[in-house]
Amino acid sequence: MLIVLFLFFPAQRSAGQDKVFTVVIDPGHGGKDPGAVGATAKEKDINLAVSLKLGKLIGDSYGDVKVVYTRDRDRFIDLNERANIANKYKADLFISIHTNAVAKGSVRGTETYTLGLARTEENLRVAMMENSAILLEDDYMQKYEGFDPKSSESYIIFEFMQNKHMEQSISFASEIQKGFVACKRVDRGVRQAGFLVLRKTSMPSVLIELGYISTPAEEQYMKSAQGQNQLAKAIYDAFVKYKREYDRKQGGLPADAATSRKEITETPSTAHAGQVVYKVQIVASNKKLASNAKELKGYKNVDFYVENGMYKYTYGESTSMEEIRTIRRNLIKDFKDAFIISFKDGKKVK
């Protein structure tokens, strides 16, 4: 029986958006399939905990995003069914969350996969491990057309698969890895491999390996609330960038995040440590403005910084000059004197 859980429904839509953006979050394994098992933790539990935290971050911050989980509790779901859920609800993004392991040795770090032919033994090993979940399904040979997850010969099918969403998938995967680096995780890179859970999705899709449960320090980190919060936040930060670019391509301003919880936030931000971050300054005032002040003209998710006794308000944030110029062009109609400023490590760059 198929159960799809809609945990967050849109409260409002951002200007210029014709449809609700749907993200499907897929906690790998579950139920009778524990996934990789560490000394004191199971992959299925870590995957679920991080997935729920990620979904809450997105749901709390975006009024125009619907979050759908393939599971929100400890239950088993076929790999094909996970993709079917995403396709049935016409998802705009699919995020499958997993935890890695090795039989011998101590390995650390995160990696994010997109669909493709595994060109290294390591990538093939990971795909084989995750795809072995089908062995717990009824009639898996028939459902997966004779695919044997433990035979390298079966994986040749992925060489001929053309994914029209590959560019967006790789771009999102790259942002995820940047987010992990920002929270001091070892970066094992963006990779490709033949994952059955990704092969039938009809939208940009990634499979994330959060870390190595077979390494004691990694296991303790991933089972801790602090570690799970950091991992979820890193993926969320990548989602924010992906959604902003999605909105830009749709012809609207970037969607407003965190409007219900905090509409004006004080610069500096530490999300882009070591990088130059561009913003658009829209208003300056000799006093602090309320979030609904007429000077802000209804804009939400506005930041501010204080300089020479003045409160200076900004909109938008990007490490890309091209993207911030696009944002400024969209703002000119409401703020004719808007201009671009830059920050690095929370300090304004002169």
Side-chain angles (χ1 to χ4, degrees):
M1 179 175 67
L2 170 62
I3 300 177
V4 181
L5 302 154
F6 292 79
L7 295 205
F8 301 100
F9 285 90
Q12 60 182 12
R13 295 189 185 189
S14 299
Q17 297 299 302
D18 294 325
K19 66 181 287 290
V20 172
F21 184 103
T22 300
V23 55
V24 170
I25 301 176
D26 173 46
H29 306 280
K32 63 184 178 181
D33 175 18
V37 178
T40 60
K42 296 177 180 178
E43 175 184 357
K44 65 176 183 177
D45 299 324
I46 293 171
N47 299 345
L48 180 59
V50 174
S51 294
L52 294 177
K53 290 176 184 292
L54 171 62
K56 188 174 190 307
L57 285 171
I58 296 173
D60 285 352
S61 298
Y62 284 89
D64 65 336
V65 175
K66 177 167 59 181
V67 178
V68 178
Y69 297 110
T70 57
R71 67 180 181 98
D72 75 335
R73 61 189 186 278
D74 186 18
R75 59 189 297 265
F76 180 78
I77 301 177
D78 293 357
L79 291 188
N80 270 352
E81 200 56 58
R82 296 169 189 264
N84 289 342
I85 291 171
N87 292 335
K88 180 177 180 179
Y89 291 93
K90 297 180 173 59
D92 298 285
L93 189 63
F94 180 82
I95 307 172
S96 190
I97 295 179
H98 292 258
T99 304
N100 216 331
V102 291
K104 295 181 180 180
S106 179
V107 185
R108 293 172 178 263
T110 63
E111 54 221 51
T112 303
Y113 285 85
T114 61
L115 183 68
L117 179 67
R119 300 189 182 278
T120 69
E121 289 297 321
E122 168 66 10
N123 293 5
L124 179 60
R125 178 195 66 78
V126 176
M128 286 182 168
M129 179 177 69
E130 301 297 359
N131 290 338
S132 290
I134 68 171
L135 300 177
L136 298 173
E137 300 179 23
D138 295 330
D139 303 321
Y140 76 90
M141 289 294 287
Q142 180 178 353
K143 283 195 290 186
Y144 296 94
E145 301 167 340
F147 183 89
D148 180 356
K150 295 184 177 297
S151 170
S152 59
E153 294 179 357
S154 289
Y155 289 81
I156 195 67
I157 63 171
F158 293 99
E159 184 172 13
F160 305 105
M161 286 189 174
Q162 297 295 320
N163 188 338
K164 66 179 181 179
H165 302 290
M166 182 61 69
E167 183 177 348
Q168 297 111 300
S169 298
I170 292 175
S171 177
F172 181 48
S174 298
E175 292 298 340
I176 292 170
Q177 288 302 119
K178 289 178 185 177
F180 287 142
V181 170
C183 65
K184 310 303 181 184
R185 300 288 289 139
V186 175
D187 179 14
R188 292 177 56 83
V190 174
R191 305 181 176 204
Q192 287 189 334
F195 293 98
L196 291 174
V197 74
L198 300 183
R199 72 169 182 157
K200 290 189 176 181
T201 56
S202 57
M203 72 289 302
S205 306
V206 298
L207 186 146
I208 303 166
E209 295 286 358
L210 298 171
Y212 284 77
I213 199 172
S214 52
T215 300
E218 290 264 286
E219 178 185 18
Q220 291 304 311
Y221 172 79
M222 291 188 294
K223 68 180 286 190
S224 71
Q226 178 184 6
Q228 292 169 2
N229 287 336
Q230 287 181 346
L231 291 165
K233 181 61 164 56
I235 303 169
Y236 168 77
D237 288 342
F239 175 83
V240 170
K241 295 176 184 176
Y242 183 91
K243 180 64 164 57
R244 182 184 298 138
E245 179 65 12
Y246 173 91
D247 289 337
R248 184 185 70 80
K249 290 181 177 178
Q250 296 299 308
L253 288 171
D256 296 328
T259 57
S260 62
R261 295 185 303 166
K262 192 173 183 183
E263 294 177 330
I264 298 181
T265 59
E266 183 171 3
T267 303
S269 168
T270 58
H272 303 287
Q275 296 178 284
V276 174
V277 177
Y278 303 104
K279 299 188 176 190
V280 181
Q281 185 164 315
I282 55 175
V283 172
S285 172
N286 60 5
K287 62 181 180 180
K288 189 174 181 180
L289 300 175
S291 61
N292 61 350
K294 64 180 182 180
E295 291 89 344
L296 300 178
K297 301 182 180 181
Y299 281 72
K300 307 298 183 183
N301 199 31
V302 176
D303 297 341
F304 75 89
Y305 67 102
V306 180
E307 185 179 56
N308 299 326
M310 296 288 290
Y311 290 86
K312 300 185 177 182
Y313 291 83
T314 67
Y315 187 90
E317 176 179 302
S318 178
T319 56
S320 165
M321 177 58 79
E322 179 183 355
E323 180 177 351
I324 207 68
R325 283 172 176 163
T326 300
I327 293 173
R328 178 183 174 274
R329 285 195 295 269
N330 287 326
L331 289 167
I332 286 294
K333 69 182 189 318
D334 293 317
F335 303 97
K336 62 183 179 64
D337 296 322
F339 60 96
I340 296 170
I341 58 174
S342 56
F343 291 84
K344 185 174 182 181
D345 294 330
K347 296 183 179 180
K348 187 179 177 183
V349 178
K350 301 296 185 181

